[in-house]
Amino acid sequence: MRPKLHPYKMAHSRAPQSNSTFQCPAFFILTGIPGLGDGQAWLTLVFGPMYLLALLGNATLLTVIRIDSTLHQPMFLLLATLAATDLGLAASIAPGLLAVLWLGPRPVQYTVCLIQMFFVHALTAVESGVLLAMACDRAVAVGRPLHYPTEVTKARVGYAVLALILKVVAVVVPFPLLVARFEHFHAKIIHHAYCAHMAVVELVVGNTRVNNLYGLVLSLAVSGVDILGIAGSYGLIAHAVLRLPTREARAKAFGTCSSHICIILAFYVPGLFSFLTHRFGHHTVPKSLHILLSNIYLLLPPALNPLIYGVRTKQIRDRFLEMLKFRKKPF
């Protein structure tokens, strides 16, 4: 049976938006997915298993890669970075999302809201960058297999991941800072399930042109460049594969990239749809659908990625089955 809301939360959730302003509120109130009312509690049956799968799947993937020294190779180190990013992304979104869906509108401290804003945008940017790095890794493995061991090393992967993290921190830090510069807000109620940048900006009293422009430019610069890089890498892969002499060799080469292609589709297709509906379809696409898609975009890849790589990558699958057999052995 669904718990009852605290009276002050119910009052806030029913209160209409007024023309009054608030000076830097101590907290905001997240309402979840607007328009669904009590029905949004049923969405916990969707997002709850996704969160559990993301936690268990990525933790298992990291454990398998850590304990098996034969997997300490550049490709699997990138995969471990992806799994760690997915864990962070799921942990930054899902607990608050499930609380809002099940318990109704919930307060979130102003500072915590800005911190969540930073981590959500930073981790999605890191994930996009890791997918680009994995595409480049596959392009070298397929196009220049003899040079792969010398051109793609563990040290170079480590430097690339460090450079990616530093770049992401530098470009995402302005998001909360641009919001923190405002001192007055139209309301305390955020009609969203988490502290999305644009959802908070909508409450600001003042000129938000810089916030809007920076959000658009950053989305195009980060995701756009990564998508072009991934497309270019797979163009090189396709060119190299089509030059192979036999059908079996071409199928084997494409097979080494199939898992990565599935992950790219799971990450970018919902993300692009969410971005386009927010920027250009807000008059035709219901806000509830947009918010639902944005949450799916953030939680679906962390849930699917370990399944895709666990099922389709032979080394990981075999090592995981060995771990299960070892635990079943009688003492």
Side-chain angles (χ1 to χ4, degrees), residues 139 142 231-244 250 254 257:
V142 174
S233 297
Y234 273 95
L236 295 175
I237 290 173
H239 180 262
V241 169
L242 293 176
R243 294 171 59 188
L244 295 175
R250 292 193 291 269
F254 270 126
C257 306

Side-chain angles (χ1 to χ4, degrees), residues 147-212:
H147 300 274
Y148 179 81
T150 56
E151 292 185 359
V152 183
T153 63
K154 290 188 288 185
R156 288 181 178 178
V157 168
Y159 290 136
V161 171
L162 178 61
L164 172 63
I165 293 173
L166 293 176
K167 182 200 76 170
V168 166
V169 170
V171 299
V172 175
V173 160
F175 268 132
L177 294 182
L178 286 173
V179 173
R181 66 193 174 101
F182 293 103
E183 296 182 354
H184 294 85
F185 294 80
H186 291 295
K188 298 181 180 179
I189 300 175
I190 301 176
H191 295 291
H192 212 295
Y194 64 92
C195 291
H197 174 247
M198 292 310 300
V200 178
V201 169
E202 290 175 356
L203 306 181
V204 165
V205 177
N207 188 347
T208 61
R209 183 177 301 174
V210 175
N211 299 69
N212 296 328

Side-chain angles (χ1 to χ4, degrees), residues 131-132 134-136 138-139 142 227-241 253-254 256-264 309:
L131 291 178
L132 171 60
M134 295 173 77
C136 295
R138 291 298 85 201
V142 174
I227 290 174
L228 289 176
I230 291 171
S233 297
Y234 273 95
L236 295 175
I237 290 173
H239 180 262
V241 169
F254 270 126
T256 62
C257 306
S258 59
S259 298
H260 186 242
I261 292 174
C262 292
I263 286 178
I264 289 173
Y309 264 99

Side-chain angles (χ1 to χ4, degrees), residues 80-322:
T81 305
L82 183 67
T85 304
D86 284 337
L87 272 177
L89 189 57
S92 65
I93 289 291
L97 168 65
L98 295 175
V100 170
L101 293 178
W102 182 248
L103 300 174
R106 306 290 294 173
V108 55
Q109 291 183 0
Y110 176 77
T111 304
V112 173
C113 186
L114 296 184
I115 292 173
Q116 185 188 48
M117 182 189 303
F118 168 78
F119 276 105
V120 169
H121 290 286
L123 290 170
T124 52
V126 169
E127 179 141 354
S128 181
V130 172
L131 291 178
L132 171 60
M134 295 173 77
C136 295
D137 172 81
R138 291 298 85 201
V140 177
V142 174
R144 298 168 59 87
L146 298 180
H147 300 274
Y148 179 81
T150 56
E151 292 185 359
V152 183
T153 63
K154 290 188 288 185
R156 288 181 178 178
V157 168
Y159 290 136
V161 171
L162 178 61
L164 172 63
I165 293 173
L166 293 176
K167 182 200 76 170
V168 166
V169 170
V171 299
V172 175
V173 160
F175 268 132
L177 294 182
L178 286 173
V179 173
R181 66 193 174 101
F182 293 103
E183 296 182 354
H184 294 85
F185 294 80
H186 291 295
K188 298 181 180 179
I189 300 175
I190 301 176
H191 295 291
H192 212 295
Y194 64 92
C195 291
H197 174 247
M198 292 310 300
V200 178
V201 169
E202 290 175 356
L203 306 181
V204 165
V205 177
N207 188 347
T208 61
R209 183 177 301 174
V210 175
N211 299 69
N212 296 328
L213 183 61
Y214 189 77
L216 177 61
V217 170
L218 185 61
S219 297
L220 294 177
V222 174
S223 297
V225 170
D226 290 346
I227 290 174
L228 289 176
I230 291 171
S233 297
Y234 273 95
L236 295 175
I237 290 173
H239 180 262
V241 169
L242 293 176
R243 294 171 59 188
L244 295 175
T246 64
R247 180 180 298 178
E248 290 76 12
R250 292 193 291 269
K252 183 178 180 180
F254 270 126
T256 62
C257 306
S258 59
S259 298
H260 186 242
I261 292 174
C262 292
I263 286 178
I264 289 173
L265 294 176
F267 180 75
Y268 282 111
V269 171
L272 286 174
F273 191 76
S274 176
F275 174 79
L276 293 174
T277 55
H278 176 73
R279 291 289 176 180
F280 308 109
H282 52 275
H283 294 301
T284 56
V285 179
K287 189 173 183 178
S288 58
L289 178 59
H290 166 68
I291 294 176
L292 180 62
L293 288 174
S294 68
N295 284 281
I296 292 175
Y297 159 61
L298 293 175
L299 284 178
L300 183 63
L304 289 183
N305 289 350
L307 286 180
I308 292 172
Y309 264 99
V311 171
R312 299 186 65 86
T313 306
K314 185 177 185 299
Q315 298 98 312
I316 294 177
R317 184 176 65 248
D318 291 347
R319 182 55 177 157
F320 177 67
L321 293 176
E322 288 177 7

